[in-house]
Amino acid sequence: MFEVRVEADFAAAHFLKDYNGKCENLHGHNYKVFAHVRGYVLNEGGMLLDFSKLKNALRKCCKKIDHTNLNDFEVFEQNPSAERIAVFIYENILQEMKENGIDLSYSEGKKEPFLYAVDVFETETSRARYCSC
């Protein structure tokens, strides 16, 4: 199986409503995001997927939430954890790629490229992952 990975970053503020500790206060992070695509079949050019197409989709997703207060987005239910951010980005990448004619959705036994995982790092040592596995 082949895997490609691209990365992007964004900065945002948030607070966790249902948390007892310092993260219940408004604070910010410089997030780093990795998007992983896996598959068995290479295209005519010998690539699983064009890096630039995946990178553009990831950057567009990150731009939606860059320099915002994540609590302002209903999708995060007032608790924009790294896990919820990872799902948000995962779903947005799928939609963005689909709009460009590329279906990266996962299905059992799929040999073509599929979006395997999105990693969201709040810090260099703290990561949440959402995957299709």
Side-chain angles (χ1 to χ4, degrees):
M1 179 179 294
F2 298 97
E3 180 174 325
V4 297
R5 184 194 86 187
V6 297
E7 67 180 79
D9 54 46
F10 69 96
H14 76 144
F15 60 90
L16 300 175
K17 185 181 73 155
D18 297 315
Y19 184 86
N20 293 319
K22 65 182 184 176
C23 292
E24 67 187 329
N25 298 317
L26 182 65
H27 64 283
H29 296 282
N30 292 315
Y31 293 90
K32 183 170 286 221
V33 182
F34 295 161
H36 305 260
V37 170
R38 287 184 173 178
Y40 294 92
V41 179
L42 301 180
N43 65 19
E44 306 78 35
M47 296 181 288
L48 181 64
L49 180 69
D50 185 337
F51 284 122
S52 64
K53 291 180 181 182
L54 182 58
K55 195 182 311 180
N56 288 339
L58 176 58
R59 287 180 178 168
K60 193 169 184 178
C61 295
C62 289
K63 188 175 181 179
K64 292 178 183 179
I65 53 179
D66 187 37
H67 283 80
T68 65
N69 179 346
L70 298 173
N71 293 76
D72 292 340
F73 292 83
E74 283 185 38
V75 69
F76 298 129
E77 301 175 19
Q78 283 298 302
N79 283 304
S81 62
E83 292 86 348
R84 286 184 170 161
I85 296 166
V87 172
F88 173 83
I89 292 172
Y90 182 95
E91 291 173 350
N92 274 263
I93 290 172
L94 286 181
Q95 183 62 37
E96 190 64 37
M97 295 297 285
K98 191 173 188 176
E99 289 173 8
N100 290 302
I102 301 171
D103 180 10
L104 289 181
S105 59
Y106 174 77
S107 62
E108 190 71 34
K110 184 173 182 178
K111 299 293 183 190
E112 296 79 25
F114 61 91
L115 184 58
Y116 170 71
V118 169
D119 297 328
V120 173
F121 287 82
E122 282 191 349
T123 69
E124 288 186 27
T125 60
S126 299
R127 175 203 81 178
R129 170 176 275 188
Y130 181 79
C131 71
S132 59
C133 44

